[in-house]
Coordinates of all heavy atoms in Angstrom, one line a residue:
M908 N 154.9 86.3 78.6 CA 154.0 87.1 77.8 C 152.7 86.2 77.6 O 152.8 85.1 77.5 CB 154.7 87.5 76.5 CG 155.9 88.4 76.6 SD 155.6 90.1 76.3 CE 155.0 90.2 74.7
K909 N 151.7 86.9 77.4 CA 150.4 86.2 77.2 C 150.2 86.0 75.7 O 150.7 86.8 74.8 CB 149.3 87.2 77.6 CG 149.1 87.3 79.2 CD 148.0 88.2 79.5 CE 148.0 88.6 80.9 NZ 149.2 89.3 81.4
S910 N 149.5 84.9 75.4 CA 149.1 84.7 74.0 C 148.0 85.7 73.6 O 147.4 86.3 74.5 CB 148.6 83.3 73.8 OG 147.3 83.1 74.5
N911 N 147.8 85.8 72.3 CA 146.7 86.7 71.8 C 145.3 86.3 72.4 O 144.5 87.1 72.7 CB 146.7 86.7 70.3 CG 147.9 87.5 69.8 OD1 148.5 88.4 70.5 ND2 148.3 87.2 68.5
F912 N 145.1 85.0 72.5 CA 143.9 84.5 73.1 C 143.7 84.9 74.5 O 142.6 85.4 74.9 CB 143.9 82.9 73.0 CG 142.6 82.3 73.5 CD1 141.5 82.3 72.8 CD2 142.6 81.6 74.7 CE1 140.3 81.8 73.3 CE2 141.5 81.0 75.2 CZ 140.3 81.1 74.5
E913 N 144.8 84.8 75.3 CA 144.8 85.3 76.7 C 144.5 86.8 76.8 O 143.8 87.2 77.6 CB 146.0 84.9 77.4 CG 146.1 83.4 77.7 CD 147.5 83.0 78.2 OE1 148.6 83.6 77.8 OE2 147.5 82.1 79.0
L914 N 145.1 87.5 75.9 CA 145.0 89.0 75.9 C 143.5 89.3 75.6 O 143.0 90.3 76.1 CB 145.9 89.6 74.8 CG 147.4 89.6 75.2 CD1 148.2 90.1 74.0 CD2 147.6 90.5 76.4
A915 N 142.9 88.6 74.6 CA 141.5 88.8 74.3 C 140.6 88.6 75.5 O 139.7 89.4 75.8 CB 141.1 87.9 73.2
I916 N 140.9 87.6 76.3 CA 140.1 87.3 77.5 C 140.3 88.4 78.5 O 139.3 89.0 79.0 CB 140.6 85.9 78.2 CG1 140.1 84.7 77.3 CG2 139.9 85.8 79.5 CD1 140.8 83.4 77.7
V917 N 141.5 88.8 78.7 CA 141.7 90.0 79.7 C 141.0 91.2 79.2 O 140.4 91.9 80.0 CB 143.2 90.2 79.8 CG1 143.5 91.5 80.6 CG2 143.9 89.0 80.5
E918 N 141.0 91.5 78.0 CA 140.4 92.7 77.4 C 138.8 92.6 77.6 O 138.2 93.6 77.9 CB 140.7 92.9 75.9 CG 142.1 93.5 75.7 CD 142.3 94.8 76.4 OE1 141.5 95.7 76.4 OE2 143.4 94.9 77.1
N919 N 138.2 91.4 77.4 CA 136.8 91.2 77.7 C 136.5 91.4 79.1 O 135.5 92.0 79.4 CB 136.4 89.8 77.1 CG 136.3 89.8 75.6 OD1 136.2 90.9 75.0 ND2 136.4 88.7 75.0
V920 N 137.3 90.9 80.0 CA 137.1 91.1 81.4 C 137.1 92.6 81.7 O 136.2 93.1 82.5 CB 138.0 90.3 82.3 CG1 137.9 90.7 83.8 CG2 137.9 88.8 82.2
K921 N 138.1 93.3 81.2 CA 138.2 94.7 81.4 C 137.0 95.5 80.9 O 136.5 96.4 81.5 CB 139.5 95.3 80.8 CG 140.7 94.9 81.6 CD 142.0 95.3 80.8 CE 142.2 96.7 80.4 NZ 143.5 97.0 79.8
R922 N 136.6 95.1 79.7 CA 135.4 95.7 79.1 C 134.2 95.6 80.0 O 133.5 96.6 80.2 CB 135.2 95.2 77.7 CG 134.0 95.7 77.0 CD 133.8 95.1 75.6 NE 133.8 93.7 75.6 CZ 132.7 92.9 76.0 NH1 131.7 93.4 76.4 NH2 132.9 91.6 75.9
I923 N 133.9 94.4 80.4 CA 132.7 94.1 81.2 C 132.9 94.8 82.6 O 131.9 95.4 83.1 CB 132.5 92.6 81.4 CG1 132.0 92.1 80.0 CG2 131.4 92.3 82.4 CD1 131.9 90.6 79.9
R924 N 134.1 94.8 83.1 CA 134.4 95.4 84.4 C 134.1 96.9 84.3 O 133.4 97.6 85.1 CB 135.8 95.2 84.8 CG 136.3 96.1 85.9 CD 137.7 95.7 86.4 NE 138.8 96.0 85.5 CZ 139.3 97.1 85.3 NH1 138.8 98.2 85.8 NH2 140.4 97.2 84.5
N925 N 134.5 97.6 83.2 CA 134.3 99.0 83.0 C 132.8 99.3 82.7 O 132.4 100.4 83.1 CB 135.2 99.5 81.8 CG 136.6 99.5 82.1 OD1 137.0 99.7 83.3 ND2 137.5 99.4 81.2
Q926 N 132.1 98.5 82.0 CA 130.7 98.6 81.9 C 130.0 98.7 83.2 O 129.0 99.4 83.3 CB 130.0 97.5 81.0 CG 130.5 97.6 79.6 CD 130.0 96.3 78.8 OE1 129.5 95.3 79.4 NE2 130.0 96.4 77.5
H927 N 130.5 98.0 84.2 CA 129.9 98.0 85.5 C 130.5 99.1 86.4 O 130.2 99.1 87.6 CB 130.0 96.6 86.2 CG 129.1 95.6 85.6 ND1 129.2 95.1 84.3 CD2 128.1 95.0 86.1 CE1 128.3 94.2 84.1 NE2 127.5 94.1 85.2
K928 N 131.4 99.9 85.8 CA 132.1 101.0 86.5 C 132.8 100.5 87.8 O 132.7 101.0 88.8 CB 131.1 102.1 86.9 CG 130.5 102.7 85.7 CD 129.5 103.8 86.1 CE 129.0 104.7 85.0 NZ 128.5 104.3 83.8
K929 N 133.5 99.4 87.6 CA 134.3 98.8 88.6 C 135.8 98.9 88.2 O 136.1 98.9 87.0 CB 133.9 97.3 88.9 CG 132.5 97.1 89.3 CD 132.2 97.8 90.6 CE 130.8 97.5 91.0 NZ 130.4 98.2 92.2
Y930 N 136.6 98.9 89.2 CA 138.1 99.1 89.0 C 138.8 97.8 89.5 O 138.3 97.0 90.2 CB 138.6 100.3 89.7 CG 137.9 101.6 89.2 CD1 136.8 102.1 89.9 CD2 138.2 102.2 88.0 CE1 136.1 103.2 89.4 CE2 137.6 103.3 87.5 CZ 136.5 103.8 88.2 OH 135.8 104.9 87.7
Q931 N 140.1 97.8 89.2 CA 141.0 96.7 89.6 C 140.8 96.3 91.1 O 140.7 95.1 91.4 CB 142.4 97.0 89.2 CG 142.7 96.9 87.8 CD 144.2 97.2 87.5 OE1 145.0 97.5 88.4 NE2 144.5 97.1 86.2
P932 N 140.8 97.2 92.0 CA 140.7 96.9 93.4 C 139.4 96.1 93.7 O 139.4 95.2 94.6 CB 140.7 98.2 94.2 CG 141.5 99.1 93.3 CD 141.1 98.7 91.9
Y933 N 138.3 96.4 93.0 CA 137.1 95.6 93.2 C 137.2 94.2 92.8 O 136.8 93.3 93.5 CB 135.9 96.3 92.4 CG 134.6 95.6 92.6 CD1 133.8 95.9 93.8 CD2 134.1 94.8 91.7 CE1 132.6 95.3 94.0 CE2 132.9 94.1 91.9 CZ 132.2 94.4 93.1 OH 130.9 93.8 93.3
I934 N 137.8 94.0 91.6 CA 138.0 92.6 91.2 C 139.0 91.9 92.1 O 138.8 90.7 92.5 CB 138.6 92.6 89.7 CG1 137.7 93.2 88.7 CG2 139.0 91.2 89.3 CD1 136.3 92.6 88.6
A935 N 140.0 92.5 92.7 CA 140.9 92.0 93.6 C 140.1 91.5 94.9 O 140.3 90.4 95.4 CB 142.0 92.9 94.0
M936 N 139.2 92.4 95.3 CA 138.4 92.0 96.5 C 137.5 90.8 96.2 O 137.5 89.9 97.0 CB 137.5 93.2 96.9 CG 136.7 92.9 98.0 SD 135.3 94.2 98.3 CE 134.3 93.8 96.9
V937 N 136.9 90.8 95.1 CA 136.0 89.6 94.7 C 136.8 88.3 94.6 O 136.4 87.3 95.1 CB 135.4 89.9 93.3 CG1 134.8 88.6 92.8 CG2 134.3 90.9 93.4
L938 N 138.0 88.4 94.1 CA 138.9 87.2 93.9 C 139.7 87.0 95.2 O 140.5 85.9 95.2 CB 139.8 87.3 92.7 CG 139.0 87.5 91.4 CD1 140.0 87.6 90.3 CD2 138.1 86.3 91.1
E939 N 139.8 87.9 96.1 CA 140.6 87.7 97.3 C 142.1 87.6 97.0 O 142.8 86.7 97.5 CB 140.1 86.5 98.2 CG 138.7 86.7 98.7 CD 138.2 85.4 99.4 OE1 138.9 84.4 99.6 OE2 137.1 85.5 99.9
V940 N 142.5 88.6 96.1 CA 143.9 88.7 95.8 C 144.3 90.2 95.9 O 143.4 91.0 96.2 CB 144.1 88.2 94.3 CG1 143.8 86.7 94.1 CG2 143.4 89.0 93.2
T941 N 145.5 90.4 95.6 CA 146.0 91.9 95.8 C 145.6 92.6 94.5 O 145.5 92.1 93.4 CB 147.5 91.9 96.0 OG1 148.1 91.5 94.9 CG2 147.9 91.1 97.2
D942 N 145.6 94.0 94.7 CA 145.3 94.9 93.5 C 146.5 94.7 92.5 O 146.3 94.7 91.3 CB 145.3 96.3 94.0 CG 144.2 96.6 95.0 OD1 143.4 95.7 95.3 OD2 144.2 97.8 95.4
G943 N 147.7 94.5 93.0 CA 148.9 94.3 92.1 C 148.7 93.1 91.3 O 149.2 93.1 90.1
Y944 N 148.2 92.0 91.8 CA 148.0 90.8 91.0 C 147.1 91.1 89.8 O 147.3 90.6 88.7 CB 147.4 89.6 91.8 CG 147.3 88.4 91.1 CD1 148.3 87.7 90.6 CD2 146.0 87.9 90.9 CE1 148.1 86.5 89.9 CE2 145.8 86.7 90.2 CZ 146.9 86.0 89.7 OH 146.7 84.9 89.0
I945 N 146.0 91.8 90.0 CA 145.1 92.2 89.0 C 145.8 93.0 88.0 O 145.7 92.9 86.7 CB 143.8 92.8 89.5 CG1 143.1 91.9 90.5 CG2 142.9 93.2 88.3 CD1 142.6 90.6 90.0
G946 N 146.7 93.9 88.4 CA 147.5 94.8 87.6 C 148.4 93.9 86.7 O 148.5 94.2 85.5
Q947 N 149.0 92.9 87.3 CA 149.8 92.0 86.5 C 149.0 91.3 85.4 O 149.5 91.1 84.3 CB 150.5 91.0 87.4 CG 151.6 91.5 88.3 CD 152.1 90.4 89.2 OE1 151.6 89.3 89.3 NE2 153.3 90.7 89.8
I948 N 147.8 90.8 85.8 CA 147.0 90.1 84.8 C 146.7 91.0 83.7 O 146.7 90.6 82.5 CB 145.7 89.6 85.5 CG1 146.0 88.4 86.5 CG2 144.7 89.1 84.4 CD1 144.9 87.9 87.2
E949 N 146.4 92.3 84.0 CA 146.0 93.2 82.9 C 147.2 93.8 82.2 O 147.0 94.5 81.2 CB 145.1 94.3 83.5 CG 143.8 93.7 83.9 CD 142.7 94.8 84.3 OE1 143.0 96.0 84.2 OE2 141.6 94.4 84.7
S950 N 148.4 93.5 82.6 CA 149.6 93.9 81.9 C 150.0 93.0 80.7 O 150.0 91.8 80.9 CB 150.8 94.0 82.9 OG 151.9 94.2 82.2
V951 N 150.3 93.6 79.6 CA 150.7 92.8 78.4 C 152.0 92.1 78.7 O 152.2 91.0 78.2 CB 150.8 93.7 77.1 CG1 151.3 92.9 76.0 CG2 149.5 94.4 76.9
R952 N 152.8 92.6 79.5 CA 154.1 92.1 79.7 C 154.2 90.9 80.7 O 155.2 90.3 80.8 CB 155.1 93.2 80.2 CG 155.2 94.2 79.1 CD 156.3 95.3 79.5 NE 156.2 96.3 78.5 CZ 156.3 97.6 78.8 NH1 156.4 98.0 80.1 NH2 156.2 98.6 77.9
S953 N 153.2 90.8 81.5 CA 153.2 89.7 82.5 C 152.5 88.4 82.0 O 151.6 88.5 81.3 CB 152.5 90.3 83.7 OG 152.3 89.2 84.7
A954 N 153.0 87.3 82.4 CA 152.4 86.0 82.1 C 151.3 85.7 83.0 O 150.5 84.7 82.8 CB 153.5 84.9 82.2
S955 N 151.0 86.4 84.1 CA 150.0 86.2 85.0 C 148.6 86.2 84.3 O 148.4 87.0 83.4 CB 149.9 87.2 86.1 OG 151.1 87.1 86.9
M956 N 147.7 85.2 84.7 CA 146.5 85.1 83.9 C 145.4 84.6 84.9 O 145.7 84.0 85.9 CB 146.6 84.1 82.8 CG 145.4 84.0 81.9 SD 145.0 85.5 81.1 CE 143.4 85.1 80.4
Y957 N 144.1 84.9 84.6 CA 143.0 84.4 85.4 C 142.9 82.9 85.3 O 143.1 82.4 84.3 CB 141.7 85.1 84.9 CG 141.5 86.5 85.1 CD1 141.5 87.4 84.1 CD2 141.4 87.0 86.5 CE1 141.4 88.8 84.3 CE2 141.2 88.4 86.7 CZ 141.3 89.3 85.5 OH 141.1 90.6 85.8
S958 N 142.6 82.3 86.4 CA 142.3 80.9 86.3 C 140.7 80.8 85.9 O 139.9 81.7 85.9 CB 142.4 80.2 87.7 OG 141.4 80.6 88.6
F959 N 140.3 79.5 85.5 CA 139.0 79.3 85.1 C 138.0 79.6 86.3 O 136.9 80.2 86.2 CB 138.7 77.9 84.6 CG 139.4 77.6 83.3 CD1 140.3 76.6 83.2 CD2 139.0 78.4 82.2 CE1 140.9 76.4 82.0 CE2 139.6 78.1 81.0 CZ 140.6 77.1 80.8
D960 N 138.5 79.2 87.5 CA 137.7 79.5 88.7 C 137.5 81.0 89.0 O 136.4 81.4 89.4 CB 138.3 78.8 90.0 CG 138.1 77.3 90.0 OD1 137.1 76.8 89.3 OD2 138.8 76.6 90.7
Q961 N 138.6 81.7 88.7 CA 138.5 83.2 89.0 C 137.6 83.8 87.9 O 136.8 84.7 88.2 CB 139.9 83.8 88.8 CG 140.8 83.5 90.0 CD 142.2 84.0 89.8 OE1 142.7 84.0 88.7 NE2 142.8 84.3 90.9
L962 N 137.6 83.4 86.6 CA 136.7 83.9 85.7 C 135.2 83.5 86.0 O 134.4 84.4 85.8 CB 137.0 83.3 84.3 CG 138.3 83.8 83.6 CD1 138.6 83.0 82.4 CD2 138.3 85.3 83.3
N963 N 135.0 82.4 86.6 CA 133.7 82.0 87.1 C 133.2 83.0 88.1 O 132.0 83.4 88.2 CB 133.6 80.6 87.5 CG 132.3 80.1 87.8 OD1 131.4 80.2 86.9 ND2 132.1 79.5 89.0
K964 N 134.1 83.3 89.2 CA 133.7 84.2 90.2 C 133.4 85.6 89.7 O 132.4 86.2 90.1 CB 134.9 84.3 91.2 CG 135.0 83.2 92.2 CD 136.1 83.4 93.2 CE 136.2 82.2 94.1 NZ 137.3 82.4 95.1
I965 N 134.2 86.1 88.7 CA 133.9 87.4 88.1 C 132.6 87.4 87.4 O 131.8 88.3 87.5 CB 135.1 87.8 87.2 CG1 136.4 87.9 87.9 CG2 134.7 89.1 86.5 CD1 137.6 88.1 87.1
A966 N 132.3 86.3 86.6 CA 131.1 86.1 85.9 C 129.9 86.2 86.9 O 128.9 86.8 86.6 CB 131.0 84.9 85.1
Q967 N 130.0 85.5 88.0 CA 129.0 85.5 89.1 C 128.7 86.9 89.6 O 127.6 87.3 89.8 CB 129.3 84.5 90.2 CG 129.2 83.1 89.8 CD 129.8 82.2 90.9 OE1 130.4 82.6 91.9 NE2 129.5 80.9 90.8
E968 N 129.8 87.6 89.8 CA 129.7 89.0 90.3 C 129.0 89.9 89.4 O 128.2 90.8 89.8 CB 131.1 89.5 90.7 CG 131.1 90.8 91.4 CD 130.5 90.7 92.8 OE1 130.5 89.6 93.5 OE2 130.0 91.8 93.2
F969 N 129.2 89.7 88.1 CA 128.6 90.6 87.1 C 127.4 90.0 86.4 O 126.9 90.5 85.4 CB 129.7 91.0 86.0 CG 130.8 91.9 86.5 CD1 132.1 91.7 86.1 CD2 130.5 92.9 87.4 CE1 133.1 92.5 86.7 CE2 131.5 93.7 87.9 CZ 132.8 93.5 87.5
N970 N 127.0 88.9 86.9 CA 125.7 88.2 86.4 C 125.8 87.9 85.0 O 124.9 88.4 84.2 CB 124.5 89.1 86.8 CG 123.2 88.3 86.7 OD1 123.3 87.1 86.9 ND2 122.1 88.9 86.4
C971 N 126.9 87.4 84.6 CA 127.0 87.0 83.2 C 127.7 85.6 83.1 O 127.8 85.0 84.1 CB 128.0 88.0 82.4 SG 129.7 88.1 83.0
S972 N 127.9 85.1 81.9 CA 128.5 83.8 81.8 C 130.0 83.9 81.6 O 130.5 84.9 81.0 CB 127.9 83.1 80.5 OG 128.6 81.9 80.2
P973 N 130.8 82.9 82.1 CA 132.2 83.0 81.8 C 132.5 83.0 80.3 O 133.5 83.5 80.0 CB 132.8 81.6 82.5 CG 131.7 81.3 83.6 CD 130.4 81.8 83.0
K974 N 131.5 82.4 79.6 CA 131.7 82.5 78.1 C 131.8 83.9 77.6 O 132.4 84.2 76.5 CB 130.6 81.7 77.4 CG 130.7 80.3 77.6 CD 129.7 79.5 76.6 CE 128.4 79.5 77.3 NZ 127.4 78.7 76.4
D975 N 131.3 84.9 78.3 CA 131.3 86.3 77.8 C 132.7 86.8 77.8 O 133.0 87.8 77.2 CB 130.4 87.1 78.7 CG 128.9 86.8 78.6 OD1 128.5 86.2 77.6 OD2 128.2 87.0 79.6
F976 N 133.6 86.2 78.5 CA 135.0 86.6 78.5 C 135.8 86.0 77.4 O 136.9 86.5 77.1 CB 135.7 86.3 79.9 CG 135.0 86.8 81.1 CD1 134.6 86.0 82.1 CD2 134.6 88.2 81.1 CE1 134.0 86.5 83.2 CE2 133.9 88.7 82.2 CZ 133.6 87.9 83.3
M977 N 135.3 85.0 76.7 CA 136.0 84.4 75.7 C 135.8 85.1 74.4 O 134.8 85.6 74.1 CB 135.5 82.9 75.5 CG 135.7 82.0 76.7 SD 137.4 81.8 77.1 CE 137.2 81.5 78.9
P978 N 136.8 85.1 73.5 CA 136.6 85.8 72.2 C 135.5 85.0 71.4 O 135.4 83.8 71.5 CB 138.0 85.5 71.5 CG 139.0 85.1 72.5 CD 138.1 84.5 73.7
A979 N 134.8 85.8 70.6 CA 133.7 85.2 69.8 C 134.3 84.3 68.7 O 133.6 83.4 68.3 CB 132.9 86.3 69.2
E980 N 135.5 84.6 68.2 CA 136.1 83.8 67.1 C 137.5 83.3 67.6 O 138.0 83.9 68.6 CB 136.4 84.7 66.0 CG 135.1 85.5 65.5 CD 134.5 84.9 64.3 OE1 135.1 84.2 63.5 OE2 133.2 85.0 64.2
S981 N 138.1 82.5 66.9 CA 139.4 82.0 67.2 C 140.4 83.1 67.0 O 140.1 84.1 66.2 CB 139.8 80.8 66.3 OG 139.9 81.1 65.0
V982 N 141.5 83.2 67.7 CA 142.4 84.2 67.7 C 143.7 83.9 67.1 O 144.3 82.8 67.4 CB 142.6 84.8 69.1 CG1 143.7 86.0 69.1 CG2 141.3 85.3 69.7
Q983 N 144.2 84.6 66.1 CA 145.5 84.3 65.4 C 146.6 84.5 66.4 O 146.6 85.6 67.1 CB 145.6 85.0 64.2 CG 144.5 84.7 63.1 CD 144.7 83.3 62.6 OE1 145.7 82.8 62.4 NE2 143.5 82.7 62.4
E984 N 147.7 83.8 66.3 CA 148.8 84.0 67.2 C 149.8 84.7 66.4 O 149.9 84.9 65.3 CB 149.4 82.7 67.7 CG 148.5 82.1 68.7 CD 148.3 82.9 70.0 OE1 149.2 83.6 70.5 OE2 147.2 83.0 70.4

């Protein structure tokens, strides 16, 4: 299971992805992974998580900072 901090990061990636009207397969293509892997990352029940390098690639694709995926405040566990 993911920590609340990790869940916040995943939610921010999803939010920015949705703002750009992109879906899981698009992120999978950018990261050169399977659609299923992105599904695991976005699942609350899975421990799979983006690496820092993957977050950087996503940020480059959406012309934003990797910091945009981080929660603005600390997250309680």
